[in-house]
Amino acid sequence: MLRTVDPRVLVVIPALNEEDSVAEVVDAVRTAAPSARCLVVDDGSSDATARRAREAGAVVLALPYNLGVGGAMRAGFRFARDNGFDVVVQVDADGQHDPGMIPTLIDNLSGADLVIGARFAGVGDYGVRGPRRWAMRVLARVMSRVAGTTLTDVTSGFKAAGPRAIALFAENFPAEYLGDTIEALVIGARAGLAIRQVPVAMRQRQGGEPSHRPWKAAVYLFRACAAFLLAMMRPRTRVEDPR
C-alpha cells in the first residue's frame, strides 16, 4: 500500500552525465512519493541529463560547472531552506537507490535529524572487498563513536535530513571528495544532530559508469581517512532550531 509523503518533502537528485538513468529515477521517485517535490541538480553535465529530468517532471537546478556531489547537495539544501521544505531526501541518479524506501527514511526522522539508508545492515547482498571494505569498516566504527550510535555504512548517499540538518547543511555542507558522506556526518554529529540508520537494499546501476574501480581501492582508503581527519579538524558548528 502506497504511503502518503508530506508535500514539504524535497527529494534531491545530484546528477552528472546520467542521461541514461535520470528519467527512470525521477519516475520512480514520483511514484514512491507523489506529493513530494523532485529536484534534480545537474552538476555541469555535458549530456542530456537536464533535459531528460525536466521531461520526466522534475524541477532542474543547472549548475554552470561541475562542483561534485557535495556542491550539488549544498545547492539542494539551500533550495530546500529558501523554499520552506522540512525534509530533504538525497537519492543518487544512477538508479541504485530504491525510492520505495523514501517513506521509511522519513518515518525514522521521528526522534532523529539525519537518517542514513545503510547498505551493510542485514538487508540485500551489496558488498565491497579488499582495502575499501577495511576502510569502510574502520570508518564506521570511528564514526559510531563520534555520532554516539551504531553506524555500519558511513558512505551511503541515500539519506533523509530534517529541519535542523537542512539549516546546518545549507551553510556548511562540504564539497570535498567524500565530503557529502563522511565529512557531512562528522559535521552533523559534532553540531549535535541526532543520527540513525535504517537497512536498505541496493539495486544495479541503471546507466552510467561506477564511481569506484577495484584498482582505485588504495586511493579510496587514503582519501576516506583524509576526509575524516579534515572533518575532525574543522571548528564545531552550532545549529539553531529553525522553528
Side-chain angles (χ1 to χ4, degrees), residues 9 14 32 42 47 53 55 68 75 91-92 103 113 141 162 164 193 197-198 210 237:
V9 172
D42 179 21
D47 64 4
E55 291 173 350
V91 176
D92 283 354
D113 299 301
R141 289 178 182 174
R164 296 181 72 241
L193 298 186
Q197 69 175 30
V198 295
T237 304

PDB file of all heavy atoms in Angstrom, residues 9 14 32 42 47 53 55 68 75 91-92 103 113 141 162 164 193 197-198 210 237:
ATOM      1  N   VAL A   9       8.300  17.751   1.558  1.00  0.00           N
ATOM      2  CA  VAL A   9       9.488  16.928   1.347  1.00  0.00           C
ATOM      3  C   VAL A   9      10.091  17.251  -0.019  1.00  0.00           C
ATOM      4  O   VAL A   9       9.385  17.293  -1.028  1.00  0.00           O
ATOM      5  CB  VAL A   9       9.148  15.426   1.425  1.00  0.00           C
ATOM      6  CG1 VAL A   9      10.343  14.579   1.007  1.00  0.00           C
ATOM      7  CG2 VAL A   9       8.677  15.053   2.823  1.00  0.00           C
ATOM      8  N   PRO A  14      21.336  14.634  -7.120  1.00  0.00           N
ATOM      9  CA  PRO A  14      22.513  15.205  -7.788  1.00  0.00           C
ATOM     10  C   PRO A  14      22.881  14.340  -8.987  1.00  0.00           C
ATOM     11  O   PRO A  14      22.906  13.104  -8.877  1.00  0.00           O
ATOM     12  CB  PRO A  14      23.594  15.163  -6.701  1.00  0.00           C
ATOM     13  CG  PRO A  14      23.172  14.060  -5.784  1.00  0.00           C
ATOM     14  CD  PRO A  14      21.673  13.997  -5.834  1.00  0.00           C
ATOM     15  N   ALA A  32       6.880   6.718  -5.812  1.00  0.00           N
ATOM     16  CA  ALA A  32       7.014   6.385  -4.394  1.00  0.00           C
ATOM     17  C   ALA A  32       6.568   7.526  -3.497  1.00  0.00           C
ATOM     18  O   ALA A  32       6.056   7.292  -2.399  1.00  0.00           O
ATOM     19  CB  ALA A  32       8.467   6.025  -4.082  1.00  0.00           C
ATOM     20  N   ASP A  42      21.637  19.375 -11.738  1.00  0.00           N
ATOM     21  CA  ASP A  42      22.511  18.988 -12.842  1.00  0.00           C
ATOM     22  C   ASP A  42      23.891  19.595 -12.585  1.00  0.00           C
ATOM     23  O   ASP A  42      24.082  20.801 -12.690  1.00  0.00           O
ATOM     24  CB  ASP A  42      21.923  19.493 -14.160  1.00  0.00           C
ATOM     25  CG  ASP A  42      22.806  19.150 -15.340  1.00  0.00           C
ATOM     26  OD1 ASP A  42      23.613  18.216 -15.212  1.00  0.00           O
ATOM     27  OD2 ASP A  42      22.709  19.827 -16.384  1.00  0.00           O
ATOM     28  N   ASP A  47      25.870  16.092 -21.177  1.00  0.00           N
ATOM     29  CA  ASP A  47      24.917  15.321 -21.974  1.00  0.00           C
ATOM     30  C   ASP A  47      23.508  15.862 -21.754  1.00  0.00           C
ATOM     31  O   ASP A  47      23.325  17.011 -21.369  1.00  0.00           O
ATOM     32  CB  ASP A  47      25.015  13.829 -21.629  1.00  0.00           C
ATOM     33  CG  ASP A  47      24.630  13.529 -20.178  1.00  0.00           C
ATOM     34  OD1 ASP A  47      24.221  14.471 -19.455  1.00  0.00           O
ATOM     35  OD2 ASP A  47      24.725  12.357 -19.775  1.00  0.00           O
ATOM     36  N   ALA A  53      15.579  15.006 -17.311  1.00  0.00           N
ATOM     37  CA  ALA A  53      14.992  15.185 -15.982  1.00  0.00           C
ATOM     38  C   ALA A  53      13.748  16.064 -16.054  1.00  0.00           C
ATOM     39  O   ALA A  53      12.726  15.768 -15.422  1.00  0.00           O
ATOM     40  CB  ALA A  53      16.015  15.794 -15.032  1.00  0.00           C
ATOM     41  N   GLU A  55      11.802  16.546 -18.677  1.00  0.00           N
ATOM     42  CA  GLU A  55      10.767  15.793 -19.386  1.00  0.00           C
ATOM     43  C   GLU A  55      10.086  14.781 -18.471  1.00  0.00           C
ATOM     44  O   GLU A  55       8.911  14.464 -18.659  1.00  0.00           O
ATOM     45  CB  GLU A  55      11.378  15.082 -20.596  1.00  0.00           C
ATOM     46  CG  GLU A  55      11.812  16.034 -21.701  1.00  0.00           C
ATOM     47  CD  GLU A  55      12.569  15.330 -22.815  1.00  0.00           C
ATOM     48  OE1 GLU A  55      12.931  14.141 -22.639  1.00  0.00           O
ATOM     49  OE2 GLU A  55      12.817  15.968 -23.857  1.00  0.00           O
ATOM     50  N   GLY A  68      30.843  18.682  -7.965  1.00  0.00           N
ATOM     51  CA  GLY A  68      30.878  17.453  -7.195  1.00  0.00           C
ATOM     52  C   GLY A  68      29.582  17.263  -6.422  1.00  0.00           C
ATOM     53  O   GLY A  68      28.759  18.183  -6.318  1.00  0.00           O
ATOM     54  N   ALA A  75      23.669  23.054  -2.856  1.00  0.00           N
ATOM     55  CA  ALA A  75      22.693  23.825  -3.618  1.00  0.00           C
ATOM     56  C   ALA A  75      21.278  23.315  -3.354  1.00  0.00           C
ATOM     57  O   ALA A  75      20.323  24.093  -3.235  1.00  0.00           O
ATOM     58  CB  ALA A  75      23.014  23.755  -5.109  1.00  0.00           C
ATOM     59  N   VAL A  91      18.850  11.176  -3.168  1.00  0.00           N
ATOM     60  CA  VAL A  91      18.763   9.945  -3.962  1.00  0.00           C
ATOM     61  C   VAL A  91      19.749  10.058  -5.121  1.00  0.00           C
ATOM     62  O   VAL A  91      19.777  11.078  -5.824  1.00  0.00           O
ATOM     63  CB  VAL A  91      17.339   9.729  -4.514  1.00  0.00           C
ATOM     64  CG1 VAL A  91      17.290   8.497  -5.415  1.00  0.00           C
ATOM     65  CG2 VAL A  91      16.334   9.584  -3.374  1.00  0.00           C
ATOM     66  N   ASP A  92      20.558   9.037  -5.348  1.00  0.00           N
ATOM     67  CA  ASP A  92      21.506   9.059  -6.452  1.00  0.00           C
ATOM     68  C   ASP A  92      20.781   8.916  -7.792  1.00  0.00           C
ATOM     69  O   ASP A  92      19.741   8.266  -7.877  1.00  0.00           O
ATOM     70  CB  ASP A  92      22.531   7.943  -6.305  1.00  0.00           C
ATOM     71  CG  ASP A  92      23.594   8.255  -5.263  1.00  0.00           C
ATOM     72  OD1 ASP A  92      23.589   9.397  -4.737  1.00  0.00           O
ATOM     73  OD2 ASP A  92      24.431   7.376  -4.981  1.00  0.00           O
ATOM     74  N   PRO A 103       9.643   6.699   2.088  1.00  0.00           N
ATOM     75  CA  PRO A 103       8.770   6.851   3.262  1.00  0.00           C
ATOM     76  C   PRO A 103       9.370   6.275   4.540  1.00  0.00           C
ATOM     77  O   PRO A 103       9.181   6.833   5.629  1.00  0.00           O
ATOM     78  CB  PRO A 103       7.492   6.100   2.854  1.00  0.00           C
ATOM     79  CG  PRO A 103       7.481   6.150   1.363  1.00  0.00           C
ATOM     80  CD  PRO A 103       8.928   6.015   0.978  1.00  0.00           C
ATOM     81  N   ASP A 113      17.569  13.687  13.412  1.00  0.00           N
ATOM     82  CA  ASP A 113      17.752  14.785  12.469  1.00  0.00           C
ATOM     83  C   ASP A 113      18.254  14.306  11.124  1.00  0.00           C
ATOM     84  O   ASP A 113      18.052  14.967  10.102  1.00  0.00           O
ATOM     85  CB  ASP A 113      18.766  15.798  13.024  1.00  0.00           C
ATOM     86  CG  ASP A 113      18.312  16.428  14.327  1.00  0.00           C
ATOM     87  OD1 ASP A 113      17.235  17.047  14.340  1.00  0.00           O
ATOM     88  OD2 ASP A 113      19.044  16.293  15.330  1.00  0.00           O
ATOM     89  N   ARG A 141      33.261   2.276  12.508  1.00  0.00           N
ATOM     90  CA  ARG A 141      33.474   2.144  13.957  1.00  0.00           C
ATOM     91  C   ARG A 141      33.818   3.497  14.579  1.00  0.00           C
ATOM     92  O   ARG A 141      33.300   3.859  15.637  1.00  0.00           O
ATOM     93  CB  ARG A 141      34.574   1.133  14.224  1.00  0.00           C
ATOM     94  CG  ARG A 141      34.166  -0.311  13.935  1.00  0.00           C
ATOM     95  CD  ARG A 141      35.313  -1.262  14.166  1.00  0.00           C
ATOM     96  NE  ARG A 141      34.934  -2.638  13.848  1.00  0.00           N
ATOM     97  CZ  ARG A 141      35.769  -3.665  13.849  1.00  0.00           C
ATOM     98  NH1 ARG A 141      37.041  -3.477  14.176  1.00  0.00           N
ATOM     99  NH2 ARG A 141      35.352  -4.879  13.540  1.00  0.00           N
ATOM    100  N   GLY A 162      16.192  16.223   8.359  1.00  0.00           N
ATOM    101  CA  GLY A 162      15.101  17.017   8.904  1.00  0.00           C
ATOM    102  C   GLY A 162      15.456  18.499   8.953  1.00  0.00           C
ATOM    103  O   GLY A 162      16.498  18.931   8.458  1.00  0.00           O
ATOM    104  N   ARG A 164      16.582  20.680  11.250  1.00  0.00           N
ATOM    105  CA  ARG A 164      17.849  21.133  11.820  1.00  0.00           C
ATOM    106  C   ARG A 164      19.021  20.785  10.902  1.00  0.00           C
ATOM    107  O   ARG A 164      19.968  21.575  10.762  1.00  0.00           O
ATOM    108  CB  ARG A 164      18.062  20.530  13.209  1.00  0.00           C
ATOM    109  CG  ARG A 164      17.026  20.973  14.236  1.00  0.00           C
ATOM    110  CD  ARG A 164      17.281  20.368  15.609  1.00  0.00           C
ATOM    111  NE  ARG A 164      18.434  20.952  16.263  1.00  0.00           N
ATOM    112  CZ  ARG A 164      19.531  20.288  16.637  1.00  0.00           C
ATOM    113  NH1 ARG A 164      19.607  18.981  16.404  1.00  0.00           N
ATOM    114  NH2 ARG A 164      20.523  20.888  17.241  1.00  0.00           N
ATOM    115  N   LEU A 193      23.508  16.967  15.858  1.00  0.00           N
ATOM    116  CA  LEU A 193      22.409  16.288  15.175  1.00  0.00           C
ATOM    117  C   LEU A 193      22.290  14.861  15.677  1.00  0.00           C
ATOM    118  O   LEU A 193      23.282  14.170  15.899  1.00  0.00           O
ATOM    119  CB  LEU A 193      22.636  16.269  13.659  1.00  0.00           C
ATOM    120  CG  LEU A 193      22.703  17.597  12.908  1.00  0.00           C
ATOM    121  CD1 LEU A 193      22.788  17.334  11.398  1.00  0.00           C
ATOM    122  CD2 LEU A 193      21.512  18.488  13.223  1.00  0.00           C
ATOM    123  N   GLN A 197      20.371   5.046  11.505  1.00  0.00           N
ATOM    124  CA  GLN A 197      20.361   4.386  10.209  1.00  0.00           C
ATOM    125  C   GLN A 197      19.234   3.373  10.130  1.00  0.00           C
ATOM    126  O   GLN A 197      18.730   2.888  11.159  1.00  0.00           O
ATOM    127  CB  GLN A 197      21.693   3.687   9.942  1.00  0.00           C
ATOM    128  CG  GLN A 197      21.964   2.471  10.826  1.00  0.00           C
ATOM    129  CD  GLN A 197      23.245   1.743  10.445  1.00  0.00           C
ATOM    130  OE1 GLN A 197      24.197   2.336   9.949  1.00  0.00           O
ATOM    131  NE2 GLN A 197      23.271   0.440  10.672  1.00  0.00           N
ATOM    132  N   VAL A 198      18.813   3.079   8.895  1.00  0.00           N
ATOM    133  CA  VAL A 198      17.851   2.012   8.630  1.00  0.00           C
ATOM    134  C   VAL A 198      18.427   1.165   7.504  1.00  0.00           C
ATOM    135  O   VAL A 198      19.108   1.677   6.614  1.00  0.00           O
ATOM    136  CB  VAL A 198      16.464   2.554   8.239  1.00  0.00           C
ATOM    137  CG1 VAL A 198      15.833   3.316   9.389  1.00  0.00           C
ATOM    138  CG2 VAL A 198      16.534   3.436   7.004  1.00  0.00           C
ATOM    139  N   PRO A 210      30.326   3.278 -12.886  1.00  0.00           N
ATOM    140  CA  PRO A 210      30.515   3.291 -11.438  1.00  0.00           C
ATOM    141  C   PRO A 210      31.616   4.250 -11.047  1.00  0.00           C
ATOM    142  O   PRO A 210      32.568   4.464 -11.788  1.00  0.00           O
ATOM    143  CB  PRO A 210      30.895   1.833 -11.113  1.00  0.00           C
ATOM    144  CG  PRO A 210      31.429   1.290 -12.390  1.00  0.00           C
ATOM    145  CD  PRO A 210      30.680   1.976 -13.489  1.00  0.00           C
ATOM    146  N   THR A 237      30.359  23.421  14.562  1.00  0.00           N
ATOM    147  CA  THR A 237      29.335  24.353  14.080  1.00  0.00           C
ATOM    148  C   THR A 237      28.097  24.186  14.910  1.00  0.00           C
ATOM    149  O   THR A 237      27.624  23.068  15.142  1.00  0.00           O
ATOM    150  CB  THR A 237      29.003  24.074  12.598  1.00  0.00           C
ATOM    151  OG1 THR A 237      30.208  24.154  11.827  1.00  0.00           O
ATOM    152  CG2 THR A 237      27.993  25.077  12.079  1.00  0.00           C
TER     153      THR A 237
END
